């Protein structure tokens, strides 16, 4: 039974808003992706519990439809079915809480959205690009001057770095002292901004101006 063939659960809509199609979620479960795999596993258990609730409810509906004579065996079977339905419902509700907790874990693990293009200046983007391989923030022991350098030794403007840090695009290991040097790396959001953000016109490479009086370039014939 696929995710789409399974009985709908009360959390299906909330899950799809976060992770997308349920079939993709269960494919991730097979691939073993951490938080999504945990969510997929408990969601499978929840859909099985919904199936059990639906089954016992259907049995109860059939028994109480008037098709059977009311006698002691029918009453005994009705009591057993109500008991089974109550147990299935309790199990379903416990799994509902587990799915809700797993969904929160997925939401917490998701990287923050990258800032809009107009929030990054060309200097910010250049600083982010230069730090793609890592860097170090360090405070000079005597002058107390704080600087950020890439692994290639290139100096990164401190205001630009501070803006990147405020946007959550870079992070540094604050467990180490500044005088020793705090390693700097890009966050998931920073990598998203670097690889997936469309450049604004201000960031696009300028088109070289044609010298005054020069002949126009000949048209290309295809």
């Amino acid at each position: 039974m696929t995710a789409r063939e399974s009985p709908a659960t009360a959390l299906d809509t909330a899950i799809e808003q976060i992770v997308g199609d349920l079939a993709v979620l269960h494919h991730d479960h097979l691939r073993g992706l951490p938080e999504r795999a945990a969510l997929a596993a408990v969601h499978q258990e929840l859909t099985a519990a919904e199936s059990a609730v639906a089954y016992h409810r259907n049995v109860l509906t059939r028994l109480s439809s008037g098709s059977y004579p009311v006698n002691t065996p029918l009453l005994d079977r009705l009591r057993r079915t109500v008991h089974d339905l109550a147990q299935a419902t309790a199990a379903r509700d416990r799994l509902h809480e587990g799915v809700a907790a797993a969904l929160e874990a997925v939401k917490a693990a998701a990287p923050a959205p990258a800032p809009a293009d107009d929030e990054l200046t060309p200097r910010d983007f250049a600083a982010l690009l230069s730090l793609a391989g890592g860097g170090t923030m360090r405070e000079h022991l005597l002058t107390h001057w704080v600087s950020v350098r890439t692994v290639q030794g290139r100096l990164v403007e401190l205001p630009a770095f501070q803006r990147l840090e405020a946007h959550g695009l870079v992070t540094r290991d604050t467990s180490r002292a500044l005088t020793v040097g705090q390693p700097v790396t890009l966050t998931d959001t920073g990598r998203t901004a670097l690889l997936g953000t469309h450049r604004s016109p201000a960031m696009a490479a300028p088109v070289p101006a044609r010298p005054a009086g020069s002949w126009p370039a000949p048209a290309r014939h295809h």
Side-chain angles (χ1 to χ4, degrees), residues 150-168:
T150 69
V151 290
Q152 293 83 13
R154 179 182 175 185
L155 187 65
V156 176
E157 294 181 353
L158 188 58
F161 175 82
Q162 290 171 332
R163 285 192 296 273
L164 296 178
E165 191 174 35
H167 278 301

Side-chain angles (χ1 to χ4, degrees), residues 45-96:
E45 295 178 5
L46 179 60
T47 55
E50 288 285 5
S51 296
V53 170
Y55 170 77
H56 294 300
R57 183 176 57 193
N58 290 337
V59 171
L60 185 61
T61 300
R62 189 171 68 252
L63 292 176
S64 59
S65 64
S67 302
Y68 301 93
V70 178
N71 51 27
T72 300
L74 176 64
L75 294 176
D76 289 340
R77 193 173 179 190
L78 282 169
R79 280 191 287 268
R80 290 196 302 271
T81 303
V82 170
H83 174 73
D84 292 341
L85 179 59
Q87 286 192 321
T89 301
R92 187 271 315 274
D93 291 345
R94 287 193 298 271
L95 287 168
H96 186 281

Side-chain angles (χ1 to χ4, degrees), residues 137 161 165 171-178 181-184:
M137 174 179 260
F161 175 82
E165 191 174 35
T171 185
R172 52 194 169 96
D173 183 3
T174 55
S175 65
R176 302 183 59 175
L178 265 177
Q182 296 177 344
V184 174

